[in-house]
Every structure is written in structure tokens, then in C-alpha cells.
Amino acid sequence: MEQAVSIALSRQMTLRRAMDIVANNIANANTTAYKAESPVFNEFLMPEAEAEDRGYGKAAALSFVLDTGTHRDLAEGNITHTGNPFDVAITGDGFFSVETANGVRYTRAGHFTVDNTNQLVTPMGDPVLSNAGAPITINPDDGAVEIARDGTISAGGNTIGRLGVVNVENPGAMKKTGDNYLETEQDAVPVENATVMQGFIESSNVKPVVEMTRMIEVMRAYTSTQKTINDMGDLQQSAIRQLGREPN
């Protein structure tokens, strides 16, 4: 009985983690270029010897649920027209490089603007880097800004620079650091033939209806597991009462 409760509790812990991820996906359904996530669970099989040491008996190894990580869906979100000349969407693989106080970070959220020092920056005020790894300065007096599909930025017929679009060997292993940024220790390499679209942004790839369905499934599973734990507790209390009765 005790082992059944322990296994059920391991399931509940992973279900709580799953609910947190689903809730975060729903909260970011309108976040530019946000990528939906899902939990990764594996079976943890406790060896029979260890189970016996813990007082679980030697009948069989115990199977627990183990939270092993998070999977990020890298599918491209819808490309939405904004008309803002500093909004840029990447079509295909790749990330923009951004210089932050904590080092270079990567993002697909191309909702940019020009700050009071004429640098192209993210909404957090961090400089967007060129393909040469330097901040991009845009003089408003040079005229209307145009961004070609290869990322080349020009104004008044003069080339200013080119957006740096890079990729890594395993994008799924990149870690979130907040503000829609990712970090990695992998080597970032320029994306050949990268394609960007001026006046567009990539929407979140979260599907709210799917996430709501998942939320209902998680809630039902959690409730069912809690009922199992309660039933086991009632059974244990009943057994204790029966054993505690004085013999006639």
C-alpha cells in the first residue's frame, strides 16, 4: 500500500510540472515568436534490492514517474504583417543575435526599434547585432530604412549593415533566460541564404485550443491520482482500526 502511494505521489509531482508548462504556454500565446513547450517524463524503475532496503518488499521493482526535462516545439509561427519598418521576421531556421549585459543572447522575436543613440534595439533596449557582431546604427536623417530579404539594411541608397542571423547545431538545447532570449554554449554560425521579411513579425506557435485540451487532461489525471491516494489512505486507516480492536 505504501509503495502505491509513493508511486501516485511521483505522478502528481510530474502532473503539477505539466500544468505549469501548459499555463505558461497559454500565457505566451500572444508573445512574439514564443515556442510552445511540453514536459518530458520517463519511467524510473527502482531496483528490487533498493526497494527491499526501503521496506517495499522484494516482489517486483517499483516503477516511478520521473520528470526529465522540457521539449521545445521549434515549428515556425505564423508570419504577421505589421507595417513597422523595424519589425523583422525570419522565415526558416535561425536566430537574431543580441548583445545583453550578460553576453550575447539569441531570439526570433524581431520586434525592434531605434533608441535615442540611433541603435537598433530590442524592446528591452539591447542592441541587435550585425553579421559582423557589432551594434547597428541607423541615422534617421538618411531617409527611409529598407531591409532586404538577405538582411541587408540600407537608407537613402546607402548600405548600413546586415542583420546577423545565426543558428546552432542543436537549437532545442538552448536555454531560456527571460525576455524571449535564449543562451547556449554551442558555437553560433551564420545561416547561409537566411531570409527575413521587413514589416512582419513571427507570432507564437502556441495553439490555445490544444493547450486548453491538455490542461483539462492534466486536471483530470491529477484528480484521479488524488482519489487513488485518498482511497489508499482510507484503506490504511481502516486496517489500523481493525488491528487496533481488542480481541473479544
Side-chain angles (χ1 to χ4, degrees):
M1 187 181 301
E2 183 182 347
Q3 55 264 44
V5 173
S6 297
I7 292 170
L9 284 172
S10 76
R11 175 60 173 157
Q12 274 200 321
M13 290 173 65
T14 55
L15 287 170
R16 288 192 62 178
R17 169 70 173 151
M19 180 61 80
D20 289 342
I21 292 174
V22 170
N24 191 56
N25 286 340
I26 294 174
N28 286 281
N30 294 319
T31 299
T32 303
Y34 178 83
K35 302 303 181 186
E37 297 181 330
S38 57
V40 178
F41 300 140
N42 284 325
E43 179 186 41
F44 173 72
L45 202 61
M46 180 181 288
E48 292 183 14
E50 186 176 350
E52 184 178 12
D53 289 342
R54 297 192 181 192
Y56 291 138
K58 196 179 178 181
L62 302 181
S63 176
F64 291 85
V65 186
L66 185 64
D67 180 2
T68 56
T70 304
H71 170 74
R72 185 179 303 117
D73 181 4
L74 297 176
E76 187 175 300
N78 293 329
I79 304 300
T80 305
H81 180 259
T82 65
N84 185 337
F86 297 116
D87 281 347
V88 189
I90 299 173
T91 59
D93 297 333
F95 301 87
F96 296 112
S97 300
V98 179
E99 183 67 53
T100 74
N102 298 312
V104 176
R105 296 292 184 264
Y106 306 96
T107 184
R108 285 183 64 93
H111 182 52
F112 303 140
T113 187
V114 176
D115 67 7
N116 54 10
T117 65
N118 297 334
Q119 284 191 344
L120 188 67
V121 297
T122 67
M124 280 61 68
D126 298 316
V128 180
L129 300 180
S130 69
N131 62 328
I136 300 170
T137 301
I138 299 175
N139 190 335
D141 297 332
D142 290 340
V145 173
E146 295 182 357
I147 303 176
R149 292 183 70 83
D150 66 351
T152 300
I153 305 172
S154 60
N158 298 316
T159 300
I160 297 172
R162 194 169 77 180
L163 288 167
V165 180
V166 301
N167 205 359
V168 297
E169 184 177 352
N170 183 9
M174 300 173 80
K175 298 178 181 178
K176 296 196 300 184
T177 61
D179 298 326
N180 224 344
Y181 290 158
L182 299 167
E183 69 172 348
T184 182
E185 295 181 357
Q186 302 175 70
D187 293 331
V189 296
V191 176
E192 295 183 8
N193 303 319
T195 302
V196 302
M197 299 176 64
Q198 182 182 21
F200 292 81
I201 57 172
E202 180 185 355
S203 301
S204 167
N205 69 356
V206 172
K207 298 178 177 62
V209 174
V210 173
E211 297 301 326
M212 290 300 296
T213 302
R214 287 177 179 168
M215 179 175 284
I216 293 171
E217 291 173 349
V218 171
M219 289 177 64
R220 287 176 175 171
Y222 190 93
T223 302
S224 175
T225 306
Q226 184 60 52
K227 183 179 183 303
T228 299
I229 293 174
N230 292 341
D231 289 346
M232 290 293 177
D234 292 342
L235 237 118
Q236 193 173 45
Q237 289 182 14
S238 177
I240 291 171
R241 285 195 297 268
Q242 291 291 335
L243 293 172
R245 287 180 179 176
E246 295 183 3
N248 294 328

